[in-house]
Amino acid sequence: MAIEHKTRTQLVAEAIREKILTGEIKAGDPLRQAALAAELNVSRIPVREALLQLEAEGLVNFEAHKGATATELSASQIDEIFDLRALLEAELLSHSIDGLTDQDLIDAELILTELESAMDAGDTHLATGDLNSRFHGKLYSRAQRPQTRELVDMYSKNSERYVRMHILLAGGLTTAPEEHRTLLELCRAKDTKKACDFLKKHILGAKNDIKKLLLKIEDEKR
């Protein structure tokens, strides 16, 4: 197994990203470079670079005379992010499914078992982050569409806060495991059309659940 060497900027970006995704840094909170640099024991340069990276992921917003803040959770933003995910991920799966080997499917099932265990244990970081990405990534791994994959990875990071909200507050804890199992079985059967249609339904169903919750929260704030 190859050892991954991470730059200081990558490590800082991971630390700040985790604070945002777990809610330690809330939407709208200022991200003060000096304070973050002191907390993470680094200079301001990797903090600045990390914040720019997180801005590209949609987690941070830069405003003139205000600096960086954690982006607001928005019902209106959800449509575009999840609609793009549904289109792009179905496209990847359609090019990957026939090339999936028996070992790929075994690997996907092992990851899914880990993911289900994490959800049962209430570990939403693993369930919505690394393990969820690895499961879907394994199913897309034979697509040979690197640019599409890069976009999918970006939108997956961009939507992780919303996915975590779905798991915690909008019913995803009960629906996601069964839906992942169904998707895996359709891939195992090499039924490309049904698998891609189901994947779109899986992503758009999560979108609708989260959107209802966010609209309710926005109404309560008025």
Side-chain angles (χ1 to χ4, degrees):
M1 186 167 128
I3 297 173
E4 183 182 358
H5 295 286
K6 294 182 179 178
T7 65
R8 187 161 295 185
T9 297
Q10 286 175 311
L11 292 170
V12 170
E14 286 180 3
I16 299 171
R17 184 189 297 114
E18 181 61 15
K19 288 176 181 292
I20 294 171
L21 293 176
T22 58
E24 184 179 338
I25 295 174
K26 295 179 173 54
D29 281 356
L31 298 164
R32 305 189 195 286
Q33 293 180 39
L36 288 167
E39 181 183 347
L40 299 171
N41 196 28
V42 296
S43 71
R44 290 194 192 190
I45 294 172
V47 172
R48 171 74 179 177
E49 290 171 347
L51 291 175
L52 289 170
Q53 180 180 323
L54 295 173
E55 181 187 32
E57 294 176 14
L59 293 174
V60 168
N61 184 42
F62 279 93
E63 295 180 49
H65 311 299
K66 190 175 179 182
T69 58
T71 52
E72 296 281 350
L73 292 165
S74 163
S76 60
Q77 187 187 52
I78 279 186
D79 280 323
E80 185 174 16
I81 293 174
F82 279 77
D83 289 351
L84 282 167
R85 278 191 59 200
L87 287 170
L88 292 168
E89 293 187 39
E91 174 73 7
L92 272 186
L93 186 61
S94 71
H95 287 285
S96 176
I97 197 166
D98 284 338
L100 289 171
T101 65
D102 289 342
Q103 188 60 53
D104 289 331
L105 294 165
I106 290 169
D107 291 345
E109 179 141 23
L110 289 171
I111 296 166
L112 184 54
T113 300
E114 278 189 79
L115 194 157
E116 289 168 345
S117 296
M119 291 180 78
D120 287 342
D123 190 335
T124 58
H125 170 62
L126 275 174
T128 63
D130 182 55
L131 290 173
N132 187 66
S133 296
R134 282 171 54 201
F135 171 70
H136 282 275
K138 180 59 69 173
L139 298 182
Y140 310 153
S141 62
R142 301 295 176 180
Q144 296 184 338
R145 288 290 193 278
Q147 292 186 61
T148 307
R149 182 61 186 268
E150 190 174 327
L151 287 169
V152 164
D153 289 344
M154 182 184 75
Y155 285 118
S156 291
K157 285 178 182 175
N158 205 344
S159 65
E160 192 173 325
R161 286 185 307 168
Y162 296 108
V163 175
R164 187 165 298 188
M165 179 177 280
H166 184 231
I167 295 295
L168 285 171
L169 303 172
L173 194 63
T174 56
T175 60
E178 183 180 342
E179 290 180 4
H180 283 139
R181 284 281 165 191
T182 300
L183 179 61
L184 180 59
E185 290 309 310
L186 290 170
C187 290
R188 187 173 276 124
K190 305 291 187 183
D191 194 329
T192 301
K193 185 177 187 309
K194 281 187 180 177
C196 291
D197 287 346
F198 187 82
L199 177 61
K200 287 181 181 177
K201 181 181 175 184
H202 171 65
I203 294 169
L204 296 178
K207 176 192 82 168
N208 291 332
D209 289 344
I210 302 162
K211 195 171 177 181
K212 283 179 190 173
L213 178 62
L214 279 174
L215 287 170
K216 181 181 176 184
I217 291 169
E218 288 174 8
D219 282 342
E220 288 172 354
K221 285 181 179 178
R222 293 188 183 119

